């Protein structure tokens, strides 16, 4: 069976810690997982006020493009970014 790749995205004001438990579970079952930190979600959220929703969308799209170019189809898992 070919290795599956997952892109896991955290929620608004969160971080990779939100999805790492799921990533760990998936890794134990043979999935390769990528868990990026979205723009503005640095420690203490110091730069959050300088980014916009489209910065998150661009980051997710760029990572999706990179992964699909390298591995073909991927699975995408994410938290809601609000209403």
């Amino acid at each position: 069976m070919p290795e599956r790749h997952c892109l896991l995205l955290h929620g608004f004001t969160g971080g990779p810690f939100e999805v790492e438990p799921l990533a760990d579970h998936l890794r134990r079952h043979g999935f390769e997982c990528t868990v990026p930190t979205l723009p503005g979600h640095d420690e203490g959220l110091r730069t959050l006020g300088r980014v916009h929703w489209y910065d998150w969308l661009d980051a997710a799209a760029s990572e999706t493009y990179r992964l699909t170019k390298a591995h073909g189809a991927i699975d995408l898992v994410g938290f809601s970014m609000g209403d």
Side-chain angles (χ1 to χ4, degrees):
M1 178 169 94
E3 188 173 82
R4 297 292 305 254
H5 294 266
C6 296
L7 173 58
L8 289 85
L9 301 173
H10 63 79
F12 181 63
T13 72
F17 64 89
E18 291 180 314
V19 292
E20 276 298 340
L22 176 57
D24 290 341
H25 174 79
L26 291 170
R27 288 177 184 123
R28 286 192 299 273
H29 291 278
F31 287 77
E32 178 73 27
C33 295
T34 299
V35 185
T37 300
L38 294 172
H41 289 80
D42 55 324
E43 188 175 331
L45 303 175
R46 292 183 302 273
T47 61
L48 187 60
R50 295 190 289 258
V51 299
H52 301 278
W53 64 267
Y54 48 81
D55 297 314
W56 304 322
L57 185 61
D58 287 346
S62 293
E63 194 63 23
T64 300
Y65 176 78
R66 185 186 74 78
L67 290 171
T68 56
K69 187 173 181 182
H71 307 289
I74 65 166
D75 295 298
L76 177 62
V77 178
F79 269 60
S80 170
M81 295 300 277
D83 292 336

